[in-house]
Amino acid sequence: NFWFTATDEQLQNEQVDLFNENFFVDLSDYTVEWQLLRDGKPVTGASGTVDTNVLPQETRTISVPYKAKLPAA
Protein backbone atom coordinates (compact mmCIF):
# COMPACT_ATOMS: atom_id res chain seq x y z
CA ASN A 1 0.00 0.00 0.00
CA PHE A 2 1.05 3.57 -0.59
CA TRP A 3 -0.56 6.97 -0.26
CA PHE A 4 -0.09 10.61 -1.20
CA THR A 5 -0.26 13.83 0.79
CA ALA A 6 0.45 17.44 -0.13
CA THR A 7 0.28 20.87 1.41
CA ASP A 8 -1.08 23.85 -0.53
CA GLU A 9 2.52 25.05 -0.96
CA GLN A 10 3.61 21.68 -2.36
CA LEU A 11 0.72 21.70 -4.84
CA GLN A 12 1.70 25.18 -6.01
CA ASN A 13 5.24 23.85 -6.52
CA GLU A 14 3.93 20.78 -8.40
CA GLN A 15 4.97 18.35 -5.67
CA VAL A 16 3.33 15.64 -3.56
CA ASP A 17 4.66 13.29 -0.89
CA LEU A 18 4.45 9.56 -1.60
CA PHE A 19 4.61 7.21 1.40
CA ASN A 20 5.29 3.49 0.96
CA GLU A 21 3.53 1.60 3.79
CA ASN A 22 5.14 -1.73 2.88
CA PHE A 23 7.78 -3.13 5.21
CA PHE A 24 9.74 -5.21 2.70
CA VAL A 25 8.76 -4.14 -0.83
CA ASP A 26 9.81 -1.00 -2.66
CA LEU A 27 7.53 0.60 -5.24
CA SER A 28 9.78 0.12 -8.28
CA ASP A 29 7.32 -2.33 -9.88
CA TYR A 30 4.50 0.23 -9.83
CA THR A 31 3.64 2.91 -12.34
CA VAL A 32 1.57 5.79 -10.99
CA GLU A 33 -0.40 7.82 -13.49
CA TRP A 34 -1.87 11.21 -12.68
CA GLN A 35 -4.58 13.21 -14.39
CA LEU A 36 -5.64 16.80 -13.78
CA LEU A 37 -9.37 17.39 -13.48
CA ARG A 38 -11.33 20.62 -13.83
CA ASP A 39 -14.86 20.52 -12.43
CA GLY A 40 -14.57 16.73 -12.28
CA LYS A 41 -13.66 16.38 -15.96
CA PRO A 42 -10.21 15.50 -17.37
CA VAL A 43 -8.20 18.41 -18.76
CA THR A 44 -7.03 17.36 -22.23
CA GLY A 45 -3.31 16.59 -22.26
CA ALA A 46 -2.90 17.20 -18.51
CA SER A 47 -1.73 13.77 -17.40
CA GLY A 48 1.47 11.82 -16.94
CA THR A 49 3.38 9.29 -14.88
CA VAL A 50 5.64 9.72 -11.85
CA ASP A 51 8.72 7.92 -10.55
CA THR A 52 7.60 5.64 -7.74
CA ASN A 53 10.90 4.04 -6.73
CA VAL A 54 10.32 4.56 -3.00
CA LEU A 55 11.87 2.22 -0.44
CA PRO A 56 9.77 0.46 2.22
CA GLN A 57 8.53 2.76 5.01
CA GLU A 58 9.96 5.78 3.17
CA THR A 59 8.34 9.05 2.17
CA ARG A 60 9.63 10.78 -0.94
CA THR A 61 8.59 14.09 -2.45
CA ILE A 62 7.81 13.58 -6.12
CA SER A 63 7.23 16.01 -8.96
CA VAL A 64 3.88 16.22 -10.74
CA PRO A 65 4.54 18.76 -13.51
CA TYR A 66 0.95 19.67 -14.26
CA LYS A 67 1.46 23.39 -15.01
CA ALA A 68 3.40 22.73 -18.23
CA LYS A 69 0.53 20.54 -19.44
CA LEU A 70 -2.26 23.04 -18.91
CA PRO A 71 -3.91 24.24 -22.12
CA ALA A 72 -3.53 27.91 -22.98
CA ALA A 73 -6.31 30.02 -21.53
Side-chain angles (χ1 to χ4, degrees):
N1 295 337
F2 55 91
W3 45 270
F4 301 89
T5 59
T7 64
D8 289 341
E9 183 178 348
Q10 282 179 301
L11 293 175
Q12 289 297 319
N13 291 322
E14 303 179 289
Q15 298 175 334
V16 296
D17 288 336
L18 171 57
F19 176 66
N20 179 1
E21 286 187 337
N22 296 302
F23 284 96
F24 305 106
V25 179
D26 67 25
L27 299 179
S28 63
D29 288 336
Y30 291 89
T31 300
V32 174
E33 297 179 2
W34 62 270
Q35 183 175 48
L36 188 64
L37 304 177
R38 178 177 288 142
D39 296 325
K41 297 179 183 174
V43 175
T44 303
S47 62
T49 59
V50 295
D51 174 24
T52 58
N53 191 13
V54 180
L55 297 175
Q57 294 290 294
E58 178 180 294
T59 299
R60 178 174 294 164
T61 301
I62 58 174
S63 176
V64 181
Y66 69 90
K67 290 179 183 178
K69 299 195 178 219
L70 290 174

